[in-house]
Amino acid sequence: MLKDKNIIVTGGSRGIGRAICLKIAEQGGNVAVVYAGNDAAAAETVKEAEKFGVKAVCYKLDVSDFEACKTVVGEITKDFPSIDGLVNNAGVTADTLLLRMTEQDYDKVLNVNLKGTFNMIKHVSPIMLRARKGRIVNMSSVVGLSGNAGQINYSASKAGVVGITKSAAKELAPRGITCNAIAPGFIGTDMTAKLTDAQKDAILQSVPLKRMGDAREVADLAAFLLSDSAAYITGEVIKVDGGLYI
């Protein structure tokens, strides 16, 4: 349970991020909902979280902006008495084959998915180090482990998140801070909604459980890793993929 814990979730307005925010709230935790641009979606996440009787506040932020991350973390510390957990979920895609991929396509995805994860850990970890406790959960992907045609930028960013996770876990462990990653597979979100039925069917043929995952199934794992029950788990990359990457 996460009762009275204060947790930051980036990319918290929709999809997996929203599911994580609501799972935290359901378990009694307060949530700082960090989002990039959809004001209405962020407000809806806050409204839904507050139904559980917890505190929820939204913060607009481009996580790829180092100084902006520092500023927003400072704002969060004024609104919440502690920061007990951080979920780095913010992510973007710009899929295309290598020969068509532009430098802008590559940089945009790496800046949000990878640098954004670094930026938030950089500014939140000193707070956790002083408190001598904390939980960090980073969102990787199965394609960060296996690679995927048409996703060189996304795969690279998510593989980098694995490296950040393991390195941060080693650095922060002496102060009681854990850092783990989740690697979702084919999950029903706005990103996968863009795929055609034929593309979805082709992917599902490779999933042993023969179905798409639900964002709430990822949120369940995130909540566990944020809890006291996961105090002796760190540096791990846990797949939620229906057996896609066995």
Side-chain angles (χ1 to χ4, degrees), residues 2-16:
L2 300 172
K3 184 172 176 56
D4 298 327
K5 303 284 189 183
N6 302 300
I7 298 167
I8 301 171
V9 180
T10 70
S13 63
R14 296 178 295 171
I16 290 174

Side-chain angles (χ1 to χ4, degrees), residues 36-122:
N38 193 325
D39 297 335
E44 181 63 23
T45 300
V46 166
K47 179 181 177 182
E48 291 297 313
E50 288 176 336
K51 290 181 179 179
F52 293 99
V54 303
K55 181 175 182 177
V57 183
C58 57
Y59 304 85
K60 196 168 190 175
L61 171 67
D62 173 3
V63 295
S64 70
D65 186 326
F66 184 85
E67 290 300 325
C69 288
K70 181 178 181 180
T71 298
V72 168
V73 170
E75 292 172 359
I76 293 171
T77 60
K78 293 176 183 177
D79 293 333
F80 295 86
S82 64
I83 296 179
D84 303 295
L86 166 65
V87 180
N88 285 304
N89 172 74
V92 296
T93 58
D95 298 347
T96 190
L97 294 174
L98 172 61
L99 293 179
R100 296 176 186 149
M101 187 173 292
T102 65
E103 181 181 11
Q104 290 73 26
D105 291 332
Y106 185 84
D107 287 348
K108 176 184 177 182
V109 173
L110 268 288
N111 284 340
V112 173
N113 299 2
L114 185 57
K115 186 185 175 189
T117 298
F118 163 77
N119 288 345
M120 292 302 294
I121 294 175
K122 171 70 175 179

Side-chain angles (χ1 to χ4, degrees), residues 213-231:
D214 189 283
R216 290 172 294 185
E217 293 174 301
V218 181
D220 287 341
L221 176 57
F224 169 70
L225 292 173
L226 289 165
S227 74
D228 293 340
S229 297

